[in-house]
Amino acid sequence: MKAVLKILFLAVLLTLSTFANTHLNILKDLDIDKSFMQTSYYQQIKQGINERQIADFTRTLKNGYKHIYSIKDTIKISGLPEIFLYLPMIESGFANHAVSGVKATGVWQFMDVTAKNYGLKIDKYIDERRDIVKSTKAATSYLKGLKSQFGKWYLALMAYNCGEGRLNKAITQAGTDDLATLLDPTKGYLPSETRNFIIKILKASMISKDPNFALSKDATLLNQPVLATSKVSVPGGTSLKQISDSIGVSVKRLKDDNTHLKFAFTPPNTKSYHVYIPQNKKDIFAKNFKPVVANNRFYSYTVKSGDTLFAIAKKSGVSHKAIKEYNELKNSLVSVDQKLIIPRSDQNKFQSYVVQNGDTLEILSKKFNVKVKDIKDANSLASNDNLQVGVKIVIP
């Protein structure tokens, strides 16, 4: 019996020792002095790791599983510590559509100016803060620059959150860059958001190494590859529908993989632009995709008083359905001074329609604001032809 108890006691000591060494390595990776383990902040982090915290951590990983592998890979290549995976986890919960109250956007919550300084494009057609690949590369470059400026990774993390100027001021006021000193809430050297930010990142990293998580099946979320994407170049103004048709992937899937595109087409003001497609579709894309010359394929139209979507469609010679698709309109309502992108391409001048019970040429003429003659000409209908229910026709 004594022998069994001794073995159990040694096993507990070994577990505690391993746990402590793991935490020490985490601190070391961030250039935090090991004396931090003697502070109340460390004790609060360690004691705060419980079943609820692990469940919250796991839920966030599941929400962001699609991006985790790509982010981890880029972080590893850039030479940043692995713990930096938890920066976007805390900043945005890995939500690529996240927008803060001060308009920080994307997984990495880049502000407009900082994003542009690191090569991310933002205009009326694209917001590359939502391009997982490009934004992660930009974030690692920014963080490496902060590390070079402040000398320690944990300071780079805090500067990322509150800004270089604010951190410099805090260090000057404190007379030291010691983490425990900077975290003192009574002194208020740093904003509470930044103090909580570094604590949350440390806690997330420690949870990832906690036996209750590390030995669970959910731990595979941190290393589970998802269906990889390939970057391909297409002419400016190419619709996702055209790419979708060429590779047999839904437009929805393409939108999900290309959240940096504000519309369902690539920027018409560039000669070419990149799109991410499933990696296993790259050969099919090379074989099937036929680029369309993109010169002047689109123009901008400002909605005027009295305009309707159908009137604009008639005026432009483009179907209202195409205009809705390219502007991602949920309905046919438009408002004065609203900017619309109007495609010029002939492929968008017709839309398919399945004849419904009760339809006549006159009814369709009024419904789509198109002349009866134009519908007949587009479908080679004689004057006495009746419309058959279920038949697909085109509406100019």
Side-chain angles (χ1 to χ4, degrees), residues 19-66:
F19 200 50
N21 286 335
T22 300
H23 287 192
L24 187 60
N25 288 335
I26 290 171
L27 299 181
K28 185 179 178 181
D29 284 346
L30 289 181
D31 302 315
I32 299 172
D33 191 271
K34 63 181 180 180
S35 61
F36 184 76
M37 296 181 77
Q38 308 304 318
T39 67
S40 60
Y41 305 109
Y42 171 75
Q43 296 303 321
Q44 288 170 8
I45 294 172
K46 188 172 71 169
Q47 292 167 10
I49 297 176
N50 52 41
E51 287 185 9
R52 184 180 65 81
Q53 293 277 351
I54 293 173
D56 289 343
F57 177 83
T58 303
R59 185 163 48 251
T60 306
L61 287 182
K62 287 179 177 178
N63 290 340
Y65 83 97
K66 185 176 179 181

Coordinates of all heavy atoms in Angstrom, one line a residue, residues 19-66:
F19 N 4.1 20.5 -15.7 CA 3.2 21.7 -15.8 C 4.0 23.0 -15.6 O 3.9 23.9 -16.4 CB 2.1 21.5 -14.8 CG 0.9 22.4 -15.1 CD1 0.3 22.3 -16.4 CD2 0.3 23.2 -14.2 CE1 -0.8 23.0 -16.7 CE2 -0.8 23.9 -14.5 CZ -1.4 23.8 -15.7
A20 N 4.8 23.0 -14.6 CA 5.6 24.2 -14.3 C 6.6 24.5 -15.4 O 6.8 25.6 -15.8 CB 6.3 24.1 -12.9
N21 N 7.3 23.4 -15.9 CA 8.3 23.6 -17.0 C 7.6 24.1 -18.2 O 8.2 24.9 -19.0 CB 9.0 22.3 -17.2 CG 10.0 21.9 -16.1 OD1 10.5 22.8 -15.5 ND2 10.3 20.7 -16.0
T22 N 6.4 23.6 -18.5 CA 5.7 24.1 -19.7 C 5.4 25.6 -19.6 O 5.6 26.3 -20.6 CB 4.4 23.3 -19.8 OG1 4.6 21.9 -20.0 CG2 3.6 23.8 -21.0
H23 N 4.9 26.0 -18.4 CA 4.6 27.4 -18.2 C 5.9 28.2 -18.3 O 5.9 29.3 -18.9 CB 4.0 27.6 -16.9 CG 2.6 27.1 -16.8 ND1 1.7 27.4 -15.8 CD2 1.8 26.4 -17.7 CE1 0.5 26.9 -16.0 NE2 0.6 26.2 -17.2
L24 N 7.0 27.7 -17.8 CA 8.3 28.4 -17.9 C 8.7 28.6 -19.3 O 9.2 29.7 -19.7 CB 9.3 27.6 -17.1 CG 10.7 28.3 -16.9 CD1 10.5 29.6 -16.1 CD2 11.7 27.4 -16.2
N25 N 8.5 27.6 -20.1 CA 8.8 27.7 -21.6 C 8.0 28.7 -22.3 O 8.5 29.4 -23.2 CB 8.7 26.3 -22.2 CG 9.8 25.3 -21.8 OD1 10.8 25.7 -21.4 ND2 9.4 24.0 -21.9
I26 N 6.7 28.8 -21.9 CA 5.8 29.8 -22.5 C 6.4 31.2 -22.2 O 6.4 32.1 -23.0 CB 4.4 29.6 -22.0 CG1 3.8 28.4 -22.5 CG2 3.5 30.9 -22.3 CD1 2.4 28.0 -21.9
L27 N 6.7 31.4 -20.9 CA 7.2 32.7 -20.5 C 8.5 33.0 -21.2 O 8.8 34.2 -21.7 CB 7.4 32.8 -19.0 CG 6.2 32.6 -18.1 CD1 6.6 32.7 -16.6 CD2 5.1 33.6 -18.4
K28 N 9.4 32.0 -21.3 CA 10.7 32.2 -22.0 C 10.5 32.6 -23.5 O 11.2 33.4 -24.0 CB 11.5 30.9 -21.9 CG 12.9 31.0 -22.4 CD 13.6 29.6 -22.3 CE 15.0 29.7 -22.8 NZ 15.7 28.4 -22.7
D29 N 9.5 31.9 -24.1 CA 9.3 32.3 -25.5 C 8.9 33.7 -25.7 O 9.2 34.3 -26.8 CB 8.1 31.4 -26.1 CG 8.6 30.0 -26.4 OD1 9.8 29.7 -26.4 OD2 7.7 29.1 -26.5
L30 N 8.3 34.3 -24.7 CA 7.9 35.7 -24.8 C 8.8 36.7 -24.1 O 8.5 37.9 -24.0 CB 6.5 35.9 -24.2 CG 5.3 35.3 -25.0 CD1 4.0 35.6 -24.3 CD2 5.3 35.9 -26.4
D31 N 10.0 36.1 -23.7 CA 11.0 37.0 -23.1 C 10.6 37.5 -21.7 O 11.1 38.5 -21.3 CB 11.4 38.2 -24.0 CG 12.0 37.7 -25.3 OD1 12.8 36.8 -25.4 OD2 11.5 38.3 -26.4
I32 N 9.7 36.8 -21.1 CA 9.2 37.2 -19.7 C 10.1 36.5 -18.7 O 10.3 35.3 -18.8 CB 7.7 36.8 -19.5 CG1 6.8 37.5 -20.5 CG2 7.3 37.2 -18.1 CD1 5.4 37.0 -20.5
D33 N 10.6 37.3 -17.8 CA 11.5 36.7 -16.7 C 10.8 35.7 -15.9 O 9.6 35.8 -15.6 CB 12.0 37.8 -15.8 CG 13.1 37.4 -14.9 OD1 12.8 36.9 -13.8 OD2 14.3 37.5 -15.3
K34 N 11.5 34.6 -15.5 CA 10.9 33.5 -14.8 C 10.3 34.0 -13.4 O 9.5 33.3 -12.8 CB 11.8 32.4 -14.6 CG 13.1 32.7 -13.7 CD 14.0 31.5 -13.6 CE 15.2 31.8 -12.8 NZ 16.1 30.6 -12.7
S35 N 10.8 35.1 -12.9 CA 10.3 35.7 -11.6 C 8.8 36.0 -11.7 O 8.1 36.1 -10.7 CB 11.1 36.9 -11.2 OG 10.9 37.9 -12.2
F36 N 8.3 36.1 -12.9 CA 6.8 36.4 -13.1 C 6.0 35.2 -12.5 O 4.9 35.5 -12.0 CB 6.5 36.5 -14.6 CG 5.1 36.9 -14.8 CD1 4.6 38.2 -14.6 CD2 4.2 36.0 -15.3 CE1 3.3 38.6 -14.9 CE2 2.9 36.3 -15.6 CZ 2.4 37.6 -15.3
M37 N 6.6 34.0 -12.4 CA 5.8 32.9 -11.8 C 5.6 33.0 -10.3 O 4.8 32.3 -9.7 CB 6.6 31.6 -12.1 CG 6.7 31.3 -13.6 SD 7.5 29.7 -14.0 CE 6.3 28.5 -13.5
Q38 N 6.3 34.0 -9.7 CA 6.1 34.2 -8.3 C 5.1 35.3 -8.0 O 4.8 35.6 -6.8 CB 7.4 34.6 -7.6 CG 8.6 33.7 -7.9 CD 8.3 32.2 -7.5 OE1 7.7 32.0 -6.4 NE2 8.7 31.3 -8.4
T39 N 4.5 35.9 -9.1 CA 3.6 37.0 -8.9 C 2.1 36.5 -8.8 O 1.8 35.4 -9.1 CB 3.7 38.0 -10.1 OG1 3.2 37.3 -11.2 CG2 5.1 38.4 -10.3
S40 N 1.3 37.4 -8.3 CA -0.1 37.1 -8.1 C -0.8 37.0 -9.5 O -1.8 36.2 -9.6 CB -0.8 38.2 -7.3 OG -0.7 39.5 -8.0
Y41 N -0.2 37.7 -10.5 CA -0.8 37.6 -11.9 C -0.7 36.1 -12.4 O -1.7 35.6 -13.0 CB -0.1 38.5 -12.8 CG -0.1 40.0 -12.3 CD1 1.1 40.6 -11.9 CD2 -1.3 40.7 -12.3 CE1 1.1 41.9 -11.4 CE2 -1.3 42.0 -11.8 CZ -0.1 42.6 -11.4 OH -0.1 43.9 -10.9
Y42 N 0.5 35.5 -12.2 CA 0.6 34.2 -12.7 C -0.3 33.2 -11.9 O -0.9 32.3 -12.5 CB 2.1 33.8 -12.5 CG 2.4 32.3 -12.8 CD1 2.4 31.8 -14.1 CD2 2.5 31.4 -11.7 CE1 2.6 30.4 -14.3 CE2 2.7 30.0 -11.9 CZ 2.7 29.6 -13.2 OH 2.9 28.2 -13.5
Q43 N -0.4 33.4 -10.6 CA -1.2 32.5 -9.8 C -2.7 32.6 -10.3 O -3.4 31.6 -10.3 CB -1.1 32.9 -8.3 CG 0.3 32.7 -7.7 CD 0.8 31.2 -7.9 OE1 0.0 30.3 -7.8 NE2 2.1 31.1 -8.2
Q44 N -3.1 33.8 -10.6 CA -4.5 34.0 -11.1 C -4.7 33.3 -12.4 O -5.8 32.7 -12.6 CB -4.8 35.5 -11.2 CG -4.9 36.2 -9.8 CD -5.0 37.7 -10.0 OE1 -5.1 38.3 -11.1 NE2 -4.9 38.4 -8.9
I45 N -3.7 33.4 -13.3 CA -3.9 32.8 -14.6 C -4.0 31.2 -14.4 O -4.9 30.6 -14.9 CB -2.6 33.1 -15.5 CG1 -2.6 34.5 -15.8 CG2 -2.7 32.2 -16.7 CD1 -1.3 35.0 -16.5
K46 N -3.1 30.7 -13.6 CA -3.0 29.2 -13.4 C -4.3 28.7 -12.7 O -4.8 27.7 -13.1 CB -1.8 28.9 -12.5 CG -1.5 27.4 -12.4 CD -0.2 27.1 -11.7 CE -0.2 27.5 -10.3 NZ 0.9 27.0 -9.5
Q47 N -4.7 29.4 -11.7 CA -5.9 29.0 -10.9 C -7.2 29.2 -11.7 O -8.2 28.6 -11.5 CB -6.0 29.7 -9.6 CG -4.9 29.3 -8.6 CD -4.7 30.3 -7.4 OE1 -5.6 31.1 -7.2 NE2 -3.7 30.1 -6.7
G48 N -7.1 30.1 -12.7 CA -8.3 30.4 -13.5 C -8.6 29.4 -14.6 O -9.6 29.5 -15.3
I49 N -7.6 28.5 -14.8 CA -7.8 27.5 -15.8 C -8.7 26.3 -15.3 O -8.3 25.6 -14.4 CB -6.5 26.9 -16.3 CG1 -5.6 28.0 -16.9 CG2 -6.7 25.7 -17.3 CD1 -4.2 27.6 -17.3
N50 N -9.9 26.3 -15.7 CA -10.9 25.3 -15.2 C -11.7 24.8 -16.4 O -11.4 25.1 -17.6 CB -11.8 26.0 -14.2 CG -12.5 27.3 -14.7 OD1 -12.9 27.4 -15.9 ND2 -12.6 28.3 -13.9
E51 N -12.7 24.0 -16.1 CA -13.4 23.3 -17.2 C -14.2 24.3 -18.1 O -14.2 24.2 -19.3 CB -14.5 22.4 -16.6 CG -13.8 21.1 -16.0 CD -14.9 20.1 -15.6 OE1 -16.1 20.3 -15.8 OE2 -14.5 19.1 -14.9
R52 N -14.7 25.4 -17.5 CA -15.4 26.4 -18.3 C -14.5 27.1 -19.2 O -14.8 27.4 -20.4 CB -16.1 27.4 -17.3 CG -17.0 28.4 -18.1 CD -17.6 29.4 -17.1 NE -16.7 30.2 -16.4 CZ -16.1 31.3 -16.9 NH1 -16.4 31.7 -18.1 NH2 -15.2 32.0 -16.2
Q53 N -13.3 27.5 -18.7 CA -12.3 28.2 -19.5 C -11.8 27.3 -20.7 O -11.7 27.8 -21.8 CB -11.1 28.6 -18.6 CG -11.3 29.6 -17.6 CD -11.3 31.0 -18.1 OE1 -10.9 31.2 -19.3 NE2 -11.7 32.0 -17.3
I54 N -11.6 26.0 -20.4 CA -11.2 25.1 -21.4 C -12.3 24.9 -22.5 O -12.0 24.9 -23.7 CB -10.8 23.7 -20.8 CG1 -9.5 23.9 -20.0 CG2 -10.6 22.7 -21.9 CD1 -9.2 22.6 -19.2
A55 N -13.6 24.9 -22.0 CA -14.7 24.8 -23.0 C -14.8 26.0 -23.8 O -15.0 25.9 -25.1 CB -16.0 24.6 -22.2
D56 N -14.6 27.2 -23.3 CA -14.6 28.5 -24.1 C -13.5 28.5 -25.1 O -13.7 28.9 -26.2 CB -14.5 29.7 -23.1 CG -15.7 29.9 -22.3 OD1 -16.8 29.4 -22.7 OD2 -15.7 30.7 -21.3
F57 N -12.3 28.0 -24.6 CA -11.1 28.0 -25.5 C -11.4 27.0 -26.7 O -11.1 27.3 -27.9 CB -10.0 27.5 -24.7 CG -8.7 27.3 -25.4 CD1 -7.8 28.3 -25.7 CD2 -8.3 26.0 -25.9 CE1 -6.6 28.1 -26.4 CE2 -7.1 25.8 -26.6 CZ -6.3 26.9 -26.8
T58 N -12.0 25.9 -26.4 CA -12.3 24.9 -27.4 C -13.3 25.4 -28.4 O -13.2 25.2 -29.6 CB -12.8 23.6 -26.8 OG1 -11.8 23.1 -25.8 CG2 -13.1 22.5 -27.8
R59 N -14.3 26.1 -27.9 CA -15.4 26.6 -28.8 C -14.8 27.6 -29.8 O -15.2 27.6 -30.9 CB -16.5 27.2 -27.9 CG -17.7 27.7 -28.7 CD -18.9 28.0 -27.8 NE -18.6 28.8 -26.6 CZ -18.6 28.3 -25.4 NH1 -18.8 27.0 -25.2 NH2 -18.3 29.0 -24.4
T60 N -13.9 28.5 -29.3 CA -13.3 29.5 -30.2 C -12.4 28.8 -31.2 O -12.4 29.2 -32.4 CB -12.4 30.5 -29.4 OG1 -13.2 31.0 -28.3 CG2 -11.9 31.6 -30.2
L61 N -11.7 27.8 -30.8 CA -10.9 27.0 -31.8 C -11.8 26.4 -32.9 O -11.5 26.4 -34.1 CB -10.1 25.9 -31.1 CG -8.9 26.3 -30.3 CD1 -8.3 25.0 -29.7 CD2 -7.9 27.1 -31.1
K62 N -13.0 25.9 -32.5 CA -13.9 25.3 -33.5 C -14.4 26.3 -34.4 O -14.6 26.0 -35.6 CB -15.0 24.5 -32.7 CG -14.6 23.2 -32.1 CD -15.7 22.6 -31.3 CE -15.3 21.3 -30.7 NZ -16.4 20.6 -29.9
N63 N -14.7 27.5 -33.9 CA -15.2 28.6 -34.7 C -14.2 29.0 -35.8 O -14.5 29.4 -36.9 CB -15.6 29.8 -33.9 CG -16.8 29.5 -33.1 OD1 -17.6 28.6 -33.4 ND2 -17.0 30.3 -32.0
G64 N -12.9 28.9 -35.4 CA -11.8 29.4 -36.3 C -11.0 28.4 -36.9 O -9.9 28.7 -37.5
Y65 N -11.4 27.1 -36.8 CA -10.6 26.0 -37.3 C -10.2 26.2 -38.8 O -9.1 25.7 -39.1 CB -11.4 24.7 -37.2 CG -12.3 24.4 -38.3 CD1 -11.9 23.6 -39.4 CD2 -13.6 25.0 -38.4 CE1 -12.8 23.3 -40.5 CE2 -14.4 24.7 -39.5 CZ -14.0 23.9 -40.5 OH -14.9 23.7 -41.6
K66 N -11.0 26.9 -39.6 CA -10.7 27.0 -41.0 C -9.4 27.8 -41.2 O -8.7 27.6 -42.2 CB -11.8 27.7 -41.7 CG -11.7 27.8 -43.2 CD -13.0 28.4 -43.8 CE -12.8 28.5 -45.3 NZ -14.0 29.2 -45.9

